[in-house]
Amino acid sequence: MRIRILAAGQPGAVLYDRPWPAVGDVVEDLPTTVAAHLVASEVAEEVPDDPPARRRKTRKGDDDG
């Protein structure tokens, strides 16, 4: 489970035996139960594994012909 950290940790805080990540950092290697707990506590949000592909829209009448 990939998560993005939403809350800053206190000075010296640790997350799973390493320094607390900065706000906005994406963490990928936590156990699912730990990551799910952080999401449920609103300390982090889940990040989809593969973001959906963005489609490029074309406007009608934009051709040069």
Side-chain angles (χ1 to χ4, degrees):
M1 173 181 247
R2 295 177 64 201
I3 59 170
R4 179 177 298 111
I5 301 297
L6 299 176
Q10 297 293 325
V14 295
L15 176 61
Y16 212 67
D17 295 331
R18 59 189 151 197
W20 190 268
V23 172
D25 283 356
V26 174
V27 181
E28 300 184 29
D29 56 350
L30 291 175
T32 302
T33 55
V34 174
H37 174 75
L38 293 172
V39 171
S41 301
E42 298 182 358
V43 173
E45 64 183 357
E46 187 172 359
V47 177
D49 288 331
D50 295 318
R54 293 182 60 168
R55 290 190 198 178
R56 188 177 168 119
K57 293 185 180 181
T58 58
R59 290 184 276 167
K60 293 182 180 181
D62 274 354
D63 55 339
D64 291 331

